[in-house]
Amino acid sequence: MTVEGTAERKTARGGSKRTTAKKATPTKKAPQSQAGNGGRPDEAEQDQLVQLLTPEGKRVEHPDYAIDLSPEELRGLYRDMVLTRCFDAEATTLQRQGELGLWASLLGQEAAQIGSGRALRDDDYVFPTYREHGVAWCRGVDPTNLLGMFRGVNHGGWDPNSNNFHLYTIVIGSQTLHATGYAMGVQKDGADSAVIAYFGDGASSQGDVAESFTFSAVYNAPVVFFCQNNQWAISEPTEKQTRVPLYQRARGFGFPGVRVDGNDVLACLAVTKAALERARTGQGPMLIEAFTYRMGAHTTSDDPTKYRADEERLAWEAKDPILRLRTYLESEGFVDDAYLAAIDEESEALGKRVRDVVRAMPDPDTMAIFENVYADGHALVDEERAQFAAYQASFADADAIAEGN
Amino acid sequence: MAVFEKITIAKAINASLRASMEADPKVLVMGEDVGKLGGVFRVTDGLQKDFGEERVIDTPLAESGIIGTAIGLALRGYRPVAEIQFDGFVFPAYDQIVTQLAKMHARALGKVKVPVVIRIPYAGGIGAVEHHSESPEALFAHVAGLKIVSPSNSSDAYWMLQQAIAGDDPVIYFEPKRRYHDKSRLDTESIPDPLHKARITRTGSDLTLAAYGPMVKVCENVANVAAEEGKSVEVVDLRSISPIDFDTVQSSVEKTGRLVVVHEAPVFFGSGAEIAARITERCFYHLEAPVLRVGGFHAPYPPSRLEDEYLPGLDRVLDAVDRALAY
């Protein structure tokens, strides 16, 4: 039982299964007055994650989410994940070297992002948070463009409409409403594309996320909510965000929610494809909770050793999304050493390009402060621009006089 | 040519929305109760009947949701005109307005536009309960990326809203709710003033009164009473609070030598402070008296039985005029 609120749902089975599990292990039952497991799946619920590839790299089937990919497509997913991780590691290093002011690593979330990202059609529209580097990769956004914001040369260095990939949104959860409004527009246009909004487990506590659920449900907007539950909102665990599994929230708003193994790229792909198809065919929104893990820090300013145990990270490393796909590909003979070596080479090249581009990234022109504040202009901005330009020019004049002397 | 010798501001806004929706199929009206009810002030009366539920959208009761989805609709190419039912209810949407709507064009280096207009019935004088009578314009004017306007008569109400909708910037359009039923002339074929141009509504030579929205009428009354006392007061209707047409105010003050700024919002950190500072910079050698301000107190908006004391009225403004003239 994974889907909440669909017509096919068999309530009794899902309910009784959980009850039975709790009865069998009474000593583990949390007191009612406490936060319980905060939506973290216990053993019984672990079985309910949609999974098509086990942590051991074994292919399994799911009755609702069949998927049949060619070896080439599977290799493509592997390549995407490896290059995304490589890019991410490169960015982290650049931050350590002082080239970036900050970096928000996606380490551990490659499957959630590549799986969902590769489910999208070109005409779909993405509203990311600030960690969706893998989704950006799938959309064809040049990865070096993602770094401008973190280097401090802009607030987003790409044209959202070139790749149907909106700018990163830093205020938590705001973009879920933009996605919903955009989806309402898609619906008004009579288009058959869909919109996807990314957010995290921490954002699920924000009012904007709840409001976006309400709006999308009442207008039946073609939007998919993709929550990457990486279990940590900086230092706050999921227990501090919710008492029920996050995917179950959708039911109360009147649309289905599903929990997928976020470290299983095939499951993320299959479930997102299905959700997008629902949206496109007028069946309204859907919530996907990709249950995954942030293996690194929240950002490079964060120190996860202060709030979480090493054992937890080590346990999740065993579920590494890239390793499990590689194990599967190798076991099927879909990749050989030459192919893997070629990917490594491509990673090297990407890393070098990222380093070179970032280091050469120019600071913006000073007068950029005044650009694009308003689309149609504003008298005060014009006045301040002119005053500041004159002030700047006064130094040049002084220099010229000094040189003349 | 349609000329209305007497039409209320509420009806003028309704006609303006209608004209905008007829002119551009991308214009949408959205908000709480704007559809069948026609808005709690009936400003959107009849629009849903004529333009359908797809274009006149009754929304859930969620202000952040209204503005957040309006942003998304604008990103898709629509021109949403979102109504916030009352001034004091805008704050749940403040985050979306300030962190998203105001900054998105700049953040995207000009690659996207978010032409969202937010209509807010604002300010007091209608005997309402708490949170229904506030004047938060300075809170928005402080934020770059937003434009703030407030009409004081039917013609401006009609034209300024259409100009706001047709522009590519986010505009907060503050509707002086206590003036909704005031009637004045509207010529729907005339050529309107530019959106951000201040206008002199009474000429005078001794002192300038600057105001906008609901306070323009008070200031005009002050000018009439002052004239009976032999004082010549000029009234400037600013119309726009961001940007402010300082040139028009400056010309007036260079002529009169005195300025009193009047608004309903608290004086402390209010728009009057900005006007006083700028005009002092620009007109230091012309000023015969310090720029004075008349406005609300640094206190929560009072219960409505006290609002006549809180709001600048004829006497408080006249008192400021006398003080300025006494220098």
Side-chain angles (χ1 to χ4, degrees):
Chain A
M1 258 320 297
T2 49
V3 176
E4 285 280 342
T6 56
E8 317 86 285
R9 188 173 164 274
K10 291 169 188 145
T11 317
R13 199 182 68 179
S16 64
K17 191 173 177 184
R18 209 164 19 246
T19 311
T20 313
K22 278 188 180 170
K23 272 180 187 165
T25 55
T27 51
K28 287 188 180 172
K29 193 174 170 185
Q32 283 299 305
S33 61
Q34 290 183 11
N37 70 356
R40 207 180 282 261
D42 57 25
E43 269 175 41
E45 281 177 335
Q46 287 279 16
D47 298 339
Q48 297 173 14
L49 295 172
V50 176
Q51 194 173 71
L52 298 176
L53 199 59
T54 69
E56 295 76 32
K58 262 188 66 181
R59 184 75 168 83
V60 290
E61 295 300 328
H62 190 283
D64 301 330
Y65 299 103
I67 195 163
D68 186 21
L69 298 176
S70 68
E72 194 185 345
E73 288 168 318
L74 289 164
R75 279 194 293 269
L77 295 172
Y78 178 74
R79 174 179 172 272
D80 288 338
M81 287 201 289
V82 171
L83 291 179
T84 299
R85 180 172 288 186
C86 154
F87 163 71
D88 186 74
E90 202 62 52
T92 302
T93 305
L94 284 165
Q95 194 281 331
R96 295 299 184 226
Q97 293 170 350
E99 299 288 350
L100 301 178
L102 185 79
W103 181 244
S105 167
L106 63 34
L107 186 65
Q109 299 175 222
E110 295 87 353
Q113 295 195 12
I114 300 300
S116 59
R118 284 296 174 212
L120 298 163
R121 256 177 18 196
D122 283 350
D123 59 340
D124 294 334
Y125 212 100
V126 180
F127 285 84
T129 164
Y130 45 78
R131 202 190 295 281
E132 268 66 74
H133 322 313
V135 185
W137 170 267
C138 294
R139 298 308 282 174
V141 177
D142 185 325
T144 60
N145 280 347
L146 304 174
L147 299 171
M149 163 191 280
F150 295 97
R151 188 169 168 87
V153 302
N154 58 40
H155 297 313
W158 60 95
D159 178 352
N161 293 323
S162 297
N163 308 77
N164 282 9
F165 186 79
H166 191 67
L167 299 171
Y168 279 178
T169 299
I170 292 181
V171 176
I172 301 293
S174 292
Q175 74 282 1
T176 58
L177 280 169
H178 309 158
T180 301
Y182 195 95
M184 289 161 65
V186 168
Q187 187 181 45
K188 285 182 192 307
D189 292 344
D192 77 337
S193 56
V195 179
I196 188 164
Y198 287 87
F199 60 100
D201 43 308
S204 73
S205 299
Q206 288 282 354
D208 277 1
V209 173
E211 292 188 21
S212 68
F213 287 180
T214 298
F215 274 70
S216 64
V218 302
Y219 298 120
N220 205 43
V223 58
V224 173
F225 296 103
F226 194 92
C227 174
Q228 288 170 85
N229 178 358
N230 69 15
Q231 305 185 53
W232 290 95
I234 308 189
S235 71
E236 306 265 9
T238 316
E239 286 88 337
K240 291 279 190 264
Q241 314 296 338
T242 183
R243 288 191 62 152
V244 299
L246 291 173
Y247 75 99
Q248 289 182 1
R249 292 248 179 108
R251 193 177 166 204
F253 289 89
F255 56 90
V258 58
R259 177 182 258 168
V260 57
D261 183 338
N263 285 23
D264 172 354
V265 69
L266 301 185
C268 289
L269 176 65
V271 171
T272 311
K273 261 184 191 280
L276 291 166
E277 195 50 30
R278 270 188 100 256
R280 288 191 189 104
T281 52
Q283 297 174 73
M286 183 161 161
L287 169 64
I288 299 168
E289 179 193 357
F291 194 77
T292 180
Y293 190 73
R294 189 192 81 209
M295 289 210 245
H298 165 68
T299 67
T300 43
S301 298
D302 172 37
D303 177 7
T305 64
K306 289 180 89 96
Y307 56 81
R308 70 184 189 191
D310 276 352
E311 299 83 68
E312 185 181 291
R313 183 176 49 80
L314 293 171
W316 276 90
E317 278 180 10
K319 302 178 189 179
D320 189 303
I322 297 184
L323 274 182
R324 78 170 71 174
L325 182 60
R326 179 169 166 160
T327 306
Y328 171 63
L329 292 175
E330 286 177 334
S331 70
E332 294 290 323
F334 291 158
V335 294
D336 55 20
D337 289 347
Y339 179 81
L340 295 173
I343 299 265
D344 285 346
E345 212 167 289
E346 206 178 350
S347 297
E348 286 280 317
L350 174 65
K352 183 176 181 327
R353 185 165 78 85
V354 168
R355 284 192 294 278
D356 291 347
V357 172
V358 166
R359 287 175 180 148
M361 219 174 249
D363 284 352
D365 183 82
T366 306
M367 299 313 284
I369 292 169
F370 304 99
E371 297 308 314
N372 303 307
V373 183
Y374 292 88
D376 301 331
H378 187 283
L380 178 61
V381 177
D382 294 344
E383 186 184 323
E384 292 186 351
R385 182 198 287 114
Q387 286 169 353
F388 194 64
Y391 173 72
Q392 295 280 81
S394 70
F395 291 104
D397 294 345
D399 289 348
I401 291 165
E403 277 171 29
N405 288 345
Chain B
M1 184 183 283
V3 179
F4 302 89
E5 286 308 327
K6 280 179 178 236
I7 185 171
T8 66
I9 286 182
K11 286 211 160 65
I13 296 171
N14 183 281
S16 181
L17 288 168
R18 190 173 286 278
S20 294
M21 295 183 86
E22 280 167 358
D24 183 352
K26 294 291 187 184
V27 175
L28 307 172
V29 168
M30 57 194 290
E32 297 160 13
D33 306 306
V34 298
K36 270 197 184 131
L37 180 66
V40 291
F41 291 103
R42 310 294 181 268
V43 168
T44 55
D45 196 29
L47 295 178
Q48 192 181 64
K49 188 165 115 336
D50 295 340
F51 294 98
E53 291 182 21
E54 283 297 308
R55 294 189 63 195
V56 181
I57 307 164
D58 272 324
T59 64
L61 271 71
E63 283 76 13
S64 190
I66 293 168
I67 303 305
T69 54
I71 291 169
L73 282 158
L75 292 172
R76 180 71 189 182
Y78 287 86
R79 289 184 176 272
V81 185
E83 177 179 303
I84 296 293
Q85 204 158 62
F86 281 92
D87 36 55
F89 304 167
V90 74
F91 297 105
Y94 196 66
D95 167 50
Q96 281 289 346
I97 296 170
V98 168
T99 71
Q100 306 301 318
L101 182 62
K103 299 186 167 81
M104 205 168 275
H105 179 69
R107 185 182 292 149
L109 302 174
K111 303 290 188 193
V112 301
K113 295 189 175 78
V114 276
V116 175
V117 173
I118 304 173
R119 294 179 39 241
I120 308 178
Y122 89 123
I126 64 162
V129 296
E130 195 185 10
H131 309 305
H132 289 67
S133 300
E134 298 181 12
S135 299
E137 63 271 18
L139 294 171
F140 293 99
H142 198 62
V143 179
L146 302 174
K147 291 181 173 176
I148 322 292
V149 300
S150 181
S152 69
N153 59 63
S154 299
S155 183
D156 281 348
Y158 179 81
W159 288 116
M160 288 167 67
L161 181 56
Q162 288 180 76
Q163 291 166 322
I165 294 169
D168 282 333
D169 285 311
V171 180
I172 301 185
Y173 180 89
F174 281 110
E175 299 173 2
K177 66 171 92 84
R178 75 157 124 161
R179 305 289 181 220
Y180 268 146
H181 303 296
D182 285 8
K183 292 179 176 173
S184 50
R185 190 171 190 277
L186 166 61
D187 173 357
T188 64
E189 302 292 323
S190 62
I191 296 168
D193 283 338
L195 180 58
H196 301 290
K197 182 105 179 76
R199 187 190 302 124
I200 291 166
T201 67
R202 289 281 190 286
T203 53
S205 53
D206 297 336
L207 179 141
T208 301
L209 281 176
Y212 49 84
M215 281 295 115
V216 173
K217 188 173 175 181
V218 171
C219 289
E220 287 172 346
N221 291 340
V222 167
N224 293 340
V225 173
E228 288 169 17
E229 297 173 357
K231 302 161 194 161
S232 174
V233 170
E234 182 150 300
V235 177
V236 181
D237 180 354
L238 293 173
R239 300 169 77 242
S240 171
I241 303 149
S242 179
I244 288 174
D245 176 8
F246 287 111
D247 292 345
T248 297
V249 184
Q250 179 179 348
S251 307
S252 176
V253 173
E254 283 176 358
K255 182 175 68 172
T256 64
R258 291 177 172 83
L259 174 64
V260 176
V261 188
V262 185
H263 53 62
E264 289 193 18
V267 166
F268 187 64
F269 271 87
S271 47
E274 180 60 42
I275 295 165
R278 297 247 173 201
I279 290 304
T280 303
E281 273 187 43
R282 287 183 177 216
C283 305
F284 189 71
Y285 293 110
H286 291 91
L287 284 169
E288 303 288 342
V291 179
L292 300 182
R293 294 168 287 161
V294 186
F297 306 113
H298 192 54
Y301 197 89
S304 59
R305 297 272 181 171
L306 292 176
E307 70 180 343
D308 284 348
E309 305 303 319
Y310 175 90
L311 294 169
L314 193 70
D315 289 340
R316 272 176 60 203
V317 180
L318 276 169
D319 177 65
V321 168
D322 289 345
R323 279 190 287 132
L325 288 169
Y327 276 91

